[in-house]
């Protein structure tokens, strides 16, 4: 890494920029999120909080006035999660970036140990797991350093951008694809391929709140079709990029493509329950060389699913199992 990107920080460069995105969230949830960031062992100079309001009906700032001196509040026209995060990238100045959805929060005790690692090792990225509760008492140990591509060749990638903090200089021109709802699936693997020093842990540093009404809990037919269409778009984009990569990076990205293809087929089954829709979409995958799934020794789940879904009869049988018919 260039010497001007190494720690310690200058007085004008925050260590971490926390990009928090919100859309019509109750101020009480934003307050919890902000408190989790403010509780971290960072000075005002080391911490930058960018709150991006993606066109909420009402600004939350009247109820958050006591945070005004600690955050940069940006209100923009509604454009979706991707545009909100891209706006945050444009406006932040930290050496590292941490994305947070406004209804989630950081688990302060665990995240504090990740900050310690940033100070000691100056990595490109630190990766952790999500939690379904706001506290975590598991001891934290880290593995690494390892190249991001090497990690991708051996592990299934967790793509949610709340699950890692990363060096901003890795981005260059990389941004979230706008206009889709599966933007994480494309952004994260492409970012990982740029990582030279990755540390990772099984500890849980990010609380993901399961909330009714959130984007990932919608189940209407329009949203289902959009999700499936967007996933296919991401698959084809990643495949196109992989074809132009050096072998080591292509092999790493191929595992993510295969895993995402498996998830895509599974989601067609579970979200639509429609055999004809399944066969039509599988046919498109076949046309692009994405199906049948390649015979790779990834995980037991992958190997089982690959064998069971190679044929139309097998896919029909899997759907019967899923729906207990």
């Amino acid at each position: 890494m260039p010497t001007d990107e190494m720690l310690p920080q200058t007085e004008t460069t925050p260590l971490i920029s926390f990009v928090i995105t919100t859309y019509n969230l109750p101020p009480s949830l934003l307050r919890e999120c902000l408190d989790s960031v403010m509780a971290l062992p960072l000075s005002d100079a080391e911490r930058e909080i960018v709150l991006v309001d993606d066109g909420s009906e009402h600004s939350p700032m009247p109820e958050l006035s006591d945070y005004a001196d600690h955050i940069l509040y940006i209100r923009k026209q509604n454009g979706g999660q991707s545009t909100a995060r891209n706006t945050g990238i444009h406006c932040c100045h930290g050496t590292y970036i941490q994305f947070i959805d406004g209804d989630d929060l950081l688990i302060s005790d665990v995240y504090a140990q990740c900050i310690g690692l940033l100070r000691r090792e100056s990595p490109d990225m630190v990766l952790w797991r999500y939690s379904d509760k706001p506290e975590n008492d598991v001891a934290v140990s880290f593995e690494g350093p390892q190249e991001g591509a090497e990690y991708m060749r051996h592990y299934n990638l967790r793509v949610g951008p709340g699950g890692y903090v990363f060096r901003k200089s890795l981005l260059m021109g990389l941004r979230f694809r706008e206009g889709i709802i599966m933007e994480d699936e494309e952004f994260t693997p492409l970012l990982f391929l740029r990582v030279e020093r990755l540390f990772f842990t099984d500890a849980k540093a990010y609380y993901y709140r399961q909330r009714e009404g959130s984007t990932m809990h919608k189940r209407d037919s329009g949203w289902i079709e959009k999700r499936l269409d967007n996933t296919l778009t991401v698959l084809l984009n990643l495949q196109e990029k992989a074809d132009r990569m050096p072998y080591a990076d292509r092999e790493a990205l191929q595992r993510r493509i295969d895993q995402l293809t498996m998830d895509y087929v599974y989601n067609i089954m579970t979200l639509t329950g429609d055999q004809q829709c399944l066969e039509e979409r599988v046919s498109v995958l076949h046309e692009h060389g994405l199906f049948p799934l390649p015979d790779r020794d990834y995980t037991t789940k992958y190997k089982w699913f690959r064998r069971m879904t190679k044929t139309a009869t097998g896919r029909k049988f899997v759907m019967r199992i899923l729906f207990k018919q």
Side-chain angles (χ1 to χ4, degrees):
M1 284 293 167
T3 56
D4 62 357
E5 292 292 341
M6 301 296 284
L7 304 184
Q9 303 301 292
T10 68
E11 293 183 359
T12 58
T13 305
L15 175 61
I16 307 176
S17 290
F18 298 92
V19 176
I20 303 173
T21 54
T22 179
Y23 173 69
N24 285 343
L25 289 176
S28 60
L29 291 183
L30 289 173
R31 185 174 288 275
E32 287 186 48
C33 180
L34 290 167
D35 285 345
S36 76
V37 175
M38 298 290 290
L40 297 171
L42 294 167
S43 68
D44 289 343
E46 294 174 314
R47 177 188 62 232
E48 179 183 51
I49 302 175
V50 181
L51 178 60
V52 183
D53 183 345
D54 188 35
S56 298
E57 294 178 10
H58 304 285
S59 170
M61 288 311 295
E63 289 92 340
L64 301 176
S65 58
D66 49 327
Y67 295 92
D69 292 339
H70 302 285
I71 67 176
L72 172 63
Y73 174 69
I74 302 169
R75 184 171 170 84
K76 58 179 285 295
Q77 184 177 2
N78 181 255
Q81 183 78 286
S82 294
T83 64
R85 288 177 179 158
N86 288 341
T87 297
I89 290 172
H90 178 74
C91 296
C92 69
H93 304 90
T95 297
Y96 293 94
I97 295 178
Q98 173 67 61
F99 291 111
I100 314 175
D101 292 346
D103 50 351
D104 298 337
L105 53 85
L106 301 176
I107 301 175
S108 299
D109 290 346
V110 179
Y111 199 97
Q113 297 184 60
C114 297
I115 292 174
L117 183 69
L118 295 183
R119 299 186 194 279
R120 294 191 307 272
E121 300 289 348
S122 188
D124 290 332
M125 178 183 286
V126 181
L127 175 72
W128 50 76
R129 291 189 179 275
Y130 285 92
S131 177
D132 59 359
K133 56 185 180 179
E135 297 178 355
N136 182 42
D137 56 3
V138 176
V140 181
S141 62
F142 297 97
E143 295 185 53
Q146 187 175 84
E147 290 185 351
E150 180 68 13
Y151 180 91
M152 290 174 65
R153 285 193 288 271
H154 294 92
Y155 299 95
N156 288 343
L157 200 59
R158 308 191 291 273
V159 300
Y164 52 82
V165 61
F166 67 96
R167 189 178 290 274
K168 183 183 179 183
S169 61
L170 296 175
L171 286 173
M172 296 178 280
L174 180 62
R175 296 294 185 271
F176 290 93
R177 183 180 295 273
E178 300 185 1
I180 66 174
I181 59 175
M182 304 300 294
E183 69 279 356
D184 303 347
E185 295 285 2
E186 182 174 23
F187 177 87
T188 295
L190 296 180
L191 179 64
F192 261 71
L193 291 175
R194 303 177 180 201
V195 172
E196 295 180 2
R197 284 174 52 80
L198 166 71
F199 287 82
F200 54 99
T201 178
D202 284 335
K204 300 173 181 179
Y206 187 103
Y207 169 49
Y208 174 70
R209 194 187 303 269
Q210 301 285 338
R211 190 174 61 87
E212 289 297 326
S214 65
T215 301
M216 294 308 294
H217 284 83
K218 293 180 180 177
R219 287 294 183 269
D220 60 87
S221 58
W223 179 86
I224 290 173
E225 184 175 2
K226 182 176 177 62
R227 177 175 178 177
L228 294 176
D229 288 346
N230 287 174
T231 304
L232 180 60
T233 296
V234 169
L235 274 169
L236 297 179
N237 288 335
L238 291 178
Q239 182 189 46
E240 180 183 5
K241 287 179 169 59
D243 289 342
R244 301 196 302 266
M245 290 179 177
Y247 175 77
D249 286 353
R250 184 169 68 250
E251 183 183 31
L253 187 55
Q254 188 61 55
R255 176 170 180 145
R256 183 58 209 158
I257 292 171
D258 296 340
Q259 185 70 39
L260 184 56
T261 302
M262 181 185 77
D263 292 345
Y264 174 65
V265 174
Y266 177 83
N267 284 332
I268 298 169
M269 293 177 173
T270 57
L271 293 177
T272 72
D274 187 326
Q275 187 75 31
Q276 181 177 347
C277 174
L278 172 64
E279 295 309 318
E280 289 174 352
R281 287 186 176 270
V282 164
S283 178
V284 174
L285 291 175
H286 190 274
E287 291 173 7
H288 291 278
L290 292 166
F291 203 86
L293 293 167
D295 186 3
R296 298 292 185 91
D297 190 21
Y298 294 148
T299 64
T300 300
K301 177 182 177 181
Y302 175 88
K303 290 185 287 186
W304 176 87
F305 195 83
R306 182 193 66 82
R307 289 195 298 268
M308 295 296 293
T309 59
K310 284 194 301 183
T311 65
T313 301
R315 293 189 289 274
K316 188 173 183 179
F317 177 72
V318 171
M319 286 190 69
R320 285 178 176 173
I321 295 175
L322 292 174
F323 288 92
K324 298 180 180 180
Q325 294 178 354

